[in-house]
Amino acid sequence: MSIDRLIDVIASQQRRIDELEKQLKELKGKSPTERLDQAYSEKAEQQRQAKTGRRKRKRKQAGRNKTADKIKQAKRTERVLPAQTRLDDCSFSHTRVAWRVENGRAVLVAYEIYRCGNRFGKPAGLLGRSEFGIEIFVAIAYQVYCVGLSIDKACKLLSFFQQLNLKKSQADALLNQLARAWESEFDSLCTLLAHSAVVHTDETSWSINSVWAFLTDKLTVLFYGVHKDGDTLARILDKQTFAGVLISDDAAVYRDFSKSQKCWAHLIRKAIKLTLQDPESAVYRNFADRVLEIYRTAKRIKADRRLSDSTRLARVAELDDELLHLCCARWIDDDVSGGEIENDYRRLCDEIMRLMLNQELFLFVTEPAADGNNNAAERQLRDDATARKTCRTSKTPRGAKRRSVISSVLQSIGKQLDRFTLEAVIAEAARWLEEGESCFARQVESRGLGPPGTLSYGDETSLLDQVILAADA
């Protein structure tokens, strides 16, 4: 190739390079996806088709089934008269259909409602104007809030086992209706809780703020979506008025109660941790063994029914002396120059001495209904902690309130029954509907108790609304 030809090729390539560099400068800062002036969403396409006369044909919505069609589908018909009336004294009013579960299968029942004057017959086991029996409400609530299934899976189970085809939106509406119906029962639970003899409590983080659990031998009260601070605790259990024993960990929010039992399991775990961090230390090993031995001795004293109250108090004083002998040397030593493990040992000795001087370690020995650990409340929150990790929690204050009401009432019903079965819960809930009063409201009335103080939100505001409003403010 001649020199002139090479010069022409080089010049041509240089011109191409200049053009490409110019295009590169223009493309810098722009999205690689080509932008269109016109919108290309489904809605925009429908609008363009409407302008050209090619409107998409809308599907006819089915809507709600007519009552007459439902009556035709009913498996059986049942007459419902007002209480203490005869058929001859009543006149037919209207027909109401509802899904019931009978012999393990969903059945559509047509109730012929009769009236006598201004009194109408009320079908047993129906909540408000709902078209579903209370057994369906309870089954969905148990699967969602006790077992931890999603609403979708709960509907699939009802379809598979009871042959009830329920949409997710319908199940969600049923849960909302049940929460509204049981909200007064939740207030009764809070009233009974505030006057209980022994209360276990614990808290953990949640999708919205925290979840706080309060347990007695007959009640379970759960607050979802609340702050775990002193103001919230004061609304639930006021330190100035609560006369029972509070069993908890050593968090600052639980201090200054008149009767308090701290969890020994937390102290023992901290002592064992020291031995695992420094296996060669004989001091830490001896300390952990002695703490565990003292706790076991306290449990034996509590279980010995031969001992009188005065003898138990004397034995508790001996246990206090053993703890003092075990922790005193490190407690009075203010040296903080040690390593991280040594400082953990110092802080644990300080904690044990503080709790011992406040008489918060051996209260369970002299109180028959109290325990030396808080395992009951911790076990209660395990499922909620798992649900938080797997994102199966409520995302709004409204959902947190619904979960609080249904979970608390349903689990508290289980503690009132000899056996926590679907049949027993349905029978109890149906009795509430028939008598207009729950077992919790009856207990509040029989003990002459009033609701907890409502502070600044007004006397008509429920306790749950107070703590959720405060958390969502």
Side-chain angles (χ1 to χ4, degrees), residues 97-123:
V97 293
W99 283 99
R100 308 304 300 266
V101 176
E102 299 176 352
N103 299 322
R105 293 290 182 267
V107 177
L108 187 61
V109 181
Y111 293 99
E112 294 181 347
I113 309 299
Y114 285 78
R115 62 180 297 176
C116 181
N118 293 328
R119 294 192 300 147
F120 292 83
K122 296 182 179 180

Side-chain angles (χ1 to χ4, degrees), residues 142-372:
Y142 179 80
Q143 295 177 48
V144 173
Y145 293 125
C146 292
V147 181
L149 300 180
S150 64
I151 296 180
D152 286 327
K153 290 182 179 179
C155 292
K156 290 180 180 179
L157 285 178
L158 287 174
S159 176
F160 184 80
F161 288 105
Q162 282 77 36
Q163 299 179 6
L164 175 63
N165 295 322
L166 199 65
K167 297 180 180 179
K168 180 180 179 180
S169 59
Q170 290 177 302
D172 184 71
L174 293 183
L175 292 176
N176 287 333
Q177 186 176 359
L178 185 63
R180 290 192 298 269
W182 279 0
E183 188 170 354
S184 60
E185 314 310 330
F186 183 88
D187 292 338
S188 298
L189 291 178
C190 294
T191 302
L192 294 172
L193 177 71
H195 297 83
S196 298
V198 177
V199 176
H200 291 256
T201 182
D202 197 11
E203 79 290 327
T204 187
S205 57
W206 207 55
S207 58
I208 309 175
N209 300 313
S210 303
V211 51
W212 215 327
F214 298 87
L215 287 79
T216 72
D217 59 335
K218 291 294 184 181
L219 304 174
T220 296
V221 185
L222 302 170
F223 291 86
Y224 292 89
V226 299
H227 290 310
K228 50 181 180 182
D229 54 20
D231 292 338
T232 302
L233 183 60
R235 297 174 188 268
I236 302 170
L237 291 179
D238 190 356
K239 299 178 182 180
Q240 305 300 324
T241 59
F242 180 66
V245 178
L246 185 70
I247 303 176
S248 67
D249 55 30
D250 191 34
V253 71
Y254 299 123
R255 295 177 184 175
D256 300 327
F257 276 85
S258 59
K259 293 183 179 181
S260 182
Q261 171 64 52
K262 299 307 179 184
C263 180
W264 271 89
H266 285 75
L267 301 176
I268 294 173
R269 284 196 291 265
K270 292 179 181 179
I272 294 175
K273 181 181 178 181
L274 294 175
T275 65
L276 297 177
Q277 291 176 319
D278 190 356
E280 303 299 327
S281 174
V283 175
Y284 298 157
R285 169 54 59 187
N286 177 70
F287 179 80
D289 292 342
R290 290 291 295 129
V291 169
L292 185 57
E293 182 181 351
I294 291 173
Y295 175 58
R296 288 173 175 172
T297 302
K299 290 177 64 178
R300 287 194 296 269
I301 296 173
K302 177 182 176 61
D304 193 346
R305 298 182 179 179
R306 299 171 299 174
L307 302 180
S308 62
D309 293 341
S310 59
T311 305
R312 293 179 189 276
L313 291 174
R315 298 294 298 274
V316 167
E318 295 175 1
L319 295 177
D320 287 339
D321 292 339
E322 292 186 30
L323 281 179
L324 179 62
H325 178 74
L326 179 64
C327 302
C328 183
R330 194 63 186 91
W331 178 49
I332 62 178
D333 187 0
D334 296 331
D335 183 16
V336 295
S337 59
E340 181 180 354
I341 301 177
E342 180 64 21
N343 283 325
D344 288 341
Y345 173 52
R346 174 181 57 82
R347 283 189 288 266
L348 179 56
C349 290
D350 292 345
E351 180 181 359
I352 291 177
M353 290 300 300
R354 173 173 53 81
L355 297 179
M356 187 266 288
L357 294 175
N358 292 337
Q359 299 182 354
E360 295 179 337
L361 288 180
F362 300 111
L363 185 64
F364 77 99
V365 178
T366 57
E367 291 286 342
D371 293 326

Side-chain angles (χ1 to χ4, degrees), residues 35-52:
R35 297 291 181 178
L36 300 178
D37 295 335
Q38 294 181 340
Y40 47 91
S41 64
E42 180 181 357
K43 183 178 179 180
E45 179 62 21
Q46 291 177 357
Q47 292 176 350
R48 284 192 292 269
Q49 290 181 2
K51 292 181 180 179
T52 59

